[in-house]
Amino acid sequence: VGRPKGRSRAGTHEKMLQTHSDADGAIFREGEGGYAFYRIPALLRMGTILLAFAEGRMQRQDHGKVDIVLRRSLDDGTTWSPISVVHSEPGHNTIGNPAPLYDAPETVLIFCRGNQEVLKMSSVDDGLTWSAPSLINWSRPPDWTWVATGPPASLRLSSGRWLVPCDGLIGDSSIWKATRFFSFVLLSDDRGMTWKQSNLIDGGNECQAVEMSDGTLLLNMRSTKTVRLQSRSTDGGETWSTPPQTAQRAVVDGNAQGSMIALDPTKLLGYGDIGTPALLATSTGIGRRVLTARTSQDGGLTWQTHEVVEPQDAAYSALVDLGGGRVGCLYETRRERRRVTAGSPPTESSPSPNRRVVMQDVLRFTYINVSDLIRLTGTNYQGIIKKHSRGRRFGSRKPCRALVTEKELS
């Protein structure tokens, strides 16, 4: 495991080691930092420190040699530390699905090993060093063939309870072949010493939870269709409602993970006593493209388009409230990178070596302005959808057809 040997040494040199992200905002780029590929972003903020987690993969496939890696920022994402390895295991173990939370003074990372076991690690120096991992044990049914945490985050409730959004499969390790698939949450009331499981929410997959001002919990879930599912809990996450069959029909989904956070209404303009506004980021169901931020003012009953974060390729994402009307967003996308073409020396007519443009998969960090929740107005949103309706699915070399039609978007 690559980790600093001591807090004082790492802390002394960290500011000097901070580097700006690339001009395009990429902080994890394929082929750099010792990994072939990066996926599955997660963000966590503790005071003035921002942690960006990802899976560092030695291959493009989900399973194989996969580690959890980290970059730290001391200035809310302007500059970042070099990539460090949070946890790696010998051989081809898949260590992934980071779902962090903060419960002072601990930074806690919940994650999976091979999508068969759930583990946790903790840090008391804001992610500079980490404890050895320990298994999370609960009365898990023996017929489950898959379990995954998050992504991209766990949640500490106002009661102090820890909540970890999860999903599971029965019958196969592929959601498309499984005989049953579902979302659920794991809960701990003693800072991770013991755990219990909620009821299963059939039809759900990767999910994210938020807590509203009245204590109600909202769970937003990926499904196998091109719409999001939602469920609610009024008992701290122990039991969840059955999602309506028409839930979130207006929120077209790219059949991918989504990120959702609750916003502090006291820091937003134009809000009275109307509860807790929420922000949801998902791709829009067309080959995992057009990452869109949506806001809800009624506890998730309805969602309005707030901003198109990325008009082209975009898959998994992570959100974090930075305060001051800004939200940080780390998401999977592609960016151009110019490379010198091998065997093309400078010539009199072309003094510079020939260069070719290649597309690289990256995790890009950007900001979303939510200070007044200005919605997307005067923009042809349907035109954006149509223009970018075809392309490669993120992480794949093959073209992807549109998953929904414009008629379904209306």
Side-chain angles (χ1 to χ4, degrees):
V1 177
R3 62 180 67 161
K5 294 183 181 298
R7 179 180 180 180
S8 59
R9 181 180 178 185
T12 300
H13 294 285
E14 186 171 24
K15 286 188 177 180
M16 182 175 63
L17 292 173
Q18 294 274 314
T19 60
H20 287 268
S21 59
D22 290 353
D24 55 15
I27 65 171
F28 295 99
R29 186 182 294 274
E30 69 168 280
E32 297 181 356
Y35 293 92
F37 192 45
Y38 295 95
R39 282 209 65 197
I40 321 300
L43 289 172
L44 182 67
R45 188 174 189 255
M46 308 94 62
T48 60
I49 299 175
L50 182 61
L51 305 184
F53 298 89
E55 289 184 5
R57 300 180 175 185
M58 294 299 186
Q59 67 289 311
R60 301 190 73 84
Q61 293 77 20
D62 288 343
H63 284 261
K65 177 57 177 173
V66 180
D67 303 333
I68 293 180
V69 297
L70 169 69
R71 295 189 74 173
R72 302 172 80 250
S73 176
L74 307 181
D75 50 19
D76 280 341
T78 301
T79 60
W80 296 88
S81 69
I83 295 173
S84 63
V85 180
V86 176
H87 188 56
S88 174
E89 295 188 358
H92 291 280
N93 278 331
T94 300
I95 306 298
N97 287 93
L101 66 84
Y102 183 65
D103 191 356
E106 277 188 293
T107 303
V108 181
L109 179 63
I110 314 293
F111 62 97
C112 289
R113 177 191 286 144
N115 290 108
Q116 296 298 316
E117 298 174 309
V118 178
L119 301 92
K120 72 177 181 72
M121 303 171 66
S122 63
S123 171
V124 293
D125 54 13
D126 300 323
L128 290 175
T129 61
W130 295 86
S131 68
S134 60
L135 279 173
I136 289 178
N137 292 308
W138 79 98
S139 53
R140 170 182 163 179
D143 60 340
W144 289 15
T145 52
W146 169 282
V147 64
T149 49
S154 299
L155 187 66
R156 181 192 182 277
L157 305 183
S158 57
S159 64
R161 168 175 281 183
W162 292 2
L163 182 152
V164 184
C166 301
D167 66 270
L169 303 173
I170 295 175
D172 198 271
S173 59
S174 166
I175 189 173
W176 307 107
K177 298 178 181 179
T179 56
R180 186 182 182 187
F181 58 95
F182 45 84
S183 299
F184 67 99
V185 303
L186 292 176
L187 303 166
S188 177
D189 293 312
D190 51 16
R191 300 179 69 95
M193 297 296 292
T194 60
W195 296 83
K196 57 185 174 182
Q197 173 196 305
S198 73
N199 65 304
L200 306 183
I201 309 166
D202 283 310
N205 189 235
E206 296 162 323
C207 53
Q208 186 69 80
V210 297
E211 182 177 20
M212 300 300 173
S213 57
D214 63 356
T216 299
L217 302 180
L218 176 67
L219 194 70
N220 191 281
M221 297 164 279
R222 174 186 176 181
S223 71
T224 55
K225 300 180 180 179
T226 55
V227 291
R228 307 291 296 177
L229 298 180
Q230 288 194 153
S231 179
R232 298 177 189 277
S233 173
T234 57
D235 57 8
E238 297 188 24
T239 59
W240 294 86
S241 64
T242 300
Q245 291 300 306
T246 57
Q248 292 309 108
R249 187 68 188 176
V251 179
V252 179
D253 178 62
N255 194 245
Q257 168 265 16
S259 181
M260 179 176 65
I261 59 172
L263 300 172
D264 184 351
T266 65
K267 298 178 181 178
L268 302 174
L269 301 177
Y271 270 90
D273 184 19
I274 63 169
T276 306
L279 184 71
L280 171 70
T282 66
S283 55
T284 55
I286 30 188
R288 293 185 174 180
R289 298 167 74 83
V290 192
L291 182 68
T292 304
R294 299 178 175 88
T295 57
S296 176
Q297 302 178 23
D298 53 16
L301 294 176
T302 61
W303 295 89
Q304 299 80 36
T305 299
H306 175 68
E307 178 181 326
V308 173
V309 180
E310 173 58 57
Q312 300 189 51
D313 295 320
Y316 285 34
S317 62
L319 298 172
V320 65
D321 192 351
L322 301 175
R326 288 197 312 170
V327 168
C329 180
L330 181 63
Y331 66 97
E332 301 172 342
T333 187
R334 290 190 179 87
R335 285 296 181 266
E336 290 184 356
R337 172 59 65 92
R338 297 183 181 274
R339 291 179 176 173
V340 176
T341 303
S344 300
T347 64
E348 191 172 308
S349 60
S350 179
S352 298
N354 293 332
R355 294 178 180 271
R356 62 188 179 97
V357 176
V358 296
M359 298 299 292
Q360 288 189 316
D361 292 319
V362 303
L363 299 189
R364 180 177 184 263
F365 182 81
T366 191
Y367 300 98
I368 302 171
N369 179 17
V370 296
S371 59
D372 55 1
L373 291 185
I374 300 173
R375 298 202 177 83
L376 189 68
T377 57
T379 299
N380 182 3
Y381 184 63
Q382 295 289 345
I384 293 174
I385 298 291
K386 185 176 181 180
K387 178 180 178 182
H388 300 287
S389 62
R390 290 185 179 274
R392 287 191 298 118
R393 181 186 178 99
F394 184 90
S396 171
R397 300 303 186 190
K398 299 179 180 179
C400 180
R401 67 175 180 85
L403 295 178
V404 295
T405 65
E406 277 199 281
K407 183 178 181 180
E408 290 177 291
L409 288 168
S410 60

